[in-house]
Amino acid sequence: MQKTLTITPSRCTSCRTCELACSFKHAGKGGLGIARIRTFMFGEGKNQILTCFQCDEAACVKVCPVEALSRNESTGAIEVNEARCIGCGLCSIACPFGHMNHDGTNGIAVKCDLCGGDEPACAAFCPSRALEYR
Amino acid sequence: MTTEKTISLEINGRFFQAREGMTILDVAKREGIPIPTLCYHEALESVGNCRLCMVEITHPDWKGWKGLVTSCLYPVEEGLQVTTDNKTIWNTRRTILDLLLARCPDSDVIQKLAAEYGVTVTSYRKNDVETKCILCGLCVRVCAAKGANAISSAGRGIEKMIARPFDQPPPDCIGCASCAHICPTGAIEYEDTPEVRKIWGHSFKMVKCESCGRPIMPEKQLEFEAEKSGLDPAYFKTCSVCSQRKSIDTIRSAFDMKAVGLGEPVEVAR
Ligand code: FES
């Protein structure tokens, strides 16, 4: 069965390790701005974690003019083909949840790909098991 | 299911497998073999305009014949032997860049690329017309991919240019500025103010984010995108930052109302 990235917000301490792990995994550096996952601190038990829902009927996929976004059938994640992306930014406007981002340097779309089937770095490094892949 | 034929070919003395229909450039890119390009984009049809991706090919059956081809267009063949860099190729690319530098002496992109091939001053007569356009046609192709088809190339030879129909603001332009973003030399200019986007002689009124008021896209583009994607226009009326804020607010209020049981995992991905 396909594994699921589950979020248990009540366990999140908003330590931002997931963001850091994500940046290192995808961009090889620690800039939090390029993380595909975000935490929001509202106090214990109320912190939030947001990342892509990998929607079945994804608005980002529907609006992409060059088919740069497609579903990886083995992981269920919607992945960006960076070479195809023309950086038009439409996907990030269309996403009703604001989970789509863009690399500030070249405008290329950036999103969670569930680390391509390996255990997602965010879940692997989450010290409080607020993020799990199971 | 159709079984795709695998083809083996040689690039710079190393053997590679490729699928039928791939181009030499596709294989080189996959293998990390550098070939310079100016008019290539993975998502768009290749047209072979810039000629910079020239490589030399030969084949054991060709009795010693070899020739230069554009790798972005040339499909792989069984037994093909490709060289991506030698004196002939280098000289060819150098000449192309020398010519491009004569056409666009002010383009920093061309200056930099030409310098890599040892050309700092063009040996041809400099263009009298000030332009950064290298006629690669990426703008025309991206416009077609968007579905707008507003601009095209016109004229031939030295008069060739990227043009608007009858030199008027193109009626089909939606103001998305994809042409400007994809242009490798930054030759297409546009101007954004909070109210309007000026491009190709048009002045498009911008739609503003319903929450923060930041300009999102031209009204005309919004209509176009909604119709093309079949999505409700509302999808395009909130900027991504505000969308994210809304997501958090929704979840937070759900928490405050205890609508979501605290401690229960909330499934976010399949
Ligand atoms: S990239 Fe092949 S001709 Fe321009």
Side-chain angles (χ1 to χ4, degrees):
Chain A
M1 218 196 79
Q2 225 163 46
K3 285 192 174 182
T4 305
L5 179 66
T6 55
I7 297 181
T8 313
S10 59
R11 292 192 196 137
C12 175
T13 62
S14 208
C15 69
R16 310 187 80 181
T17 307
C18 53
E19 296 179 30
L20 210 55
C22 182
S23 297
F24 270 108
K25 169 96 185 204
H26 289 97
K29 55 184 179 213
L32 296 180
I34 38 172
R36 280 93 168 133
I37 188 163
R38 295 275 153 87
T39 64
F40 300 88
M41 200 192 271
F42 295 113
E44 217 187 306
K46 289 185 181 172
N47 294 328
Q48 294 302 335
I49 305 172
L50 285 187
T51 190
C52 175
F53 292 140
Q54 321 290 359
C55 307
D56 277 342
E57 295 250 329
C60 56
V61 175
K62 284 191 185 162
V63 298
C64 180
V66 289
E67 285 160 40
L69 292 159
S70 60
R71 174 130 12 226
N72 175 332
E73 291 301 338
S74 71
T75 60
I78 293 165
E79 297 180 349
V80 183
N81 179 337
E82 289 172 15
R84 287 190 74 87
C85 176
I86 54 168
C88 70
L90 209 54
C91 49
S92 65
I93 293 164
C95 174
F97 309 107
H99 292 335
M100 196 66 157
N101 285 305
H102 281 83
D103 186 321
T105 54
N106 54 15
I108 301 296
V110 184
K111 76 177 288 300
C112 169
D113 60 356
L114 295 173
C115 289
D118 303 339
E119 178 168 28
C122 54
F125 284 89
C126 178
S128 56
R129 290 181 37 249
L131 289 157
E132 290 168 299
Y133 193 55
R134 54 186 191 198
Chain B
M1 227 179 88
T2 49
T3 42
E4 273 169 342
K5 223 171 111 197
T6 342
I7 285 171
S8 14
L9 75 160
E10 205 181 310
I11 305 180
N12 298 342
R14 286 166 63 206
F15 289 92
F16 298 104
Q17 302 278 320
R19 271 179 295 107
E20 193 173 17
M22 282 177 97
T23 63
I24 297 173
L25 185 64
D26 289 334
V27 185
K29 284 214 178 263
R30 188 191 70 198
E31 301 300 334
I33 301 165
I35 295 177
T37 61
L38 273 171
C39 72
Y40 172 84
H41 194 285
E42 179 134 347
L44 306 172
E45 191 195 346
S46 290
V47 289
N49 273 351
C50 76
R51 323 305 289 175
L52 205 62
C53 68
M54 287 283 187
V55 295
E56 197 174 79
I57 55 166
T58 184
H59 192 281
D61 297 346
W62 292 354
K63 303 190 179 100
W65 185 89
K66 57 185 180 185
L68 292 175
V69 294
T70 45
S71 61
C72 67
L73 288 175
Y74 203 90
V76 290
E77 268 170 52
E78 188 61 42
L80 199 69
Q81 296 170 334
V82 183
T83 310
T84 64
D85 210 355
N86 63 24
K87 196 78 196 135
T88 320
I89 299 167
W90 199 86
N91 282 336
T92 310
R93 290 186 189 147
R94 186 190 152 99
T95 308
I96 294 166
L97 288 162
D98 197 352
L99 284 162
L100 284 177
L101 195 61
R103 178 179 167 84
C104 312
D106 300 326
S107 161
D108 46 348
V109 176
I110 300 302
Q111 280 168 7
K112 213 170 136 234
L113 210 52
E116 281 174 32
Y117 286 81
V119 188
T120 44
V121 182
T122 179
S123 48
Y124 300 93
R125 187 167 70 85
K126 273 191 198 170
N127 194 356
D128 315 319
V129 190
E130 203 181 297
T131 180
K132 281 188 182 171
C133 174
I134 56 165
L135 297 169
C136 71
L138 277 171
C139 51
V140 176
R141 284 175 282 151
V142 82
C143 189
K146 287 289 291 184
N149 288 304
I151 46 173
S152 69
S153 69
R156 330 187 83 193
I158 56 163
E159 272 157 22
K160 188 172 174 179
M161 59 175 180
I162 303 299
R164 318 175 293 176
F166 308 109
D167 208 19
Q168 295 295 311
D172 294 328
C173 179
I174 54 171
C176 70
S178 291
C179 52
H181 294 151
I182 207 162
C183 177
T185 57
I188 301 174
E189 284 171 4
Y190 72 100
E191 193 192 320
D192 271 358
T193 70
E195 308 303 325
V196 291
R197 168 172 296 164
K198 291 186 183 157
I199 187 162
W200 289 113
H202 278 291
S203 185
F204 291 105
K205 187 156 182 276
M206 296 297 270
V207 175
K208 293 186 174 180
C209 172
E210 284 181 340
S211 305
C212 70
R214 198 177 67 106
I216 297 183
M217 63 171 80
E219 273 174 358
K220 189 169 173 195
Q221 187 190 355
L222 192 147
E223 273 167 37
F224 177 91
E225 305 291 4
E227 173 156 1
K228 191 173 162 211
S229 61
L231 291 173
D232 192 288
Y235 274 81
F236 305 98
K237 290 182 180 167
T238 314
C239 76
S240 87
V241 178
C242 293
S243 295
Q244 189 168 59
R245 195 163 299 147
K246 274 191 195 159
S247 301
I248 306 161
D249 287 348
T250 312
I251 303 175
R252 274 190 80 193
S253 58
F255 265 70
D256 290 341
M257 296 182 308
K258 299 242 187 303
V260 179
L262 282 177
E264 288 301 308
V266 180
E267 200 165 282
V268 298
R270 315 198 286 169

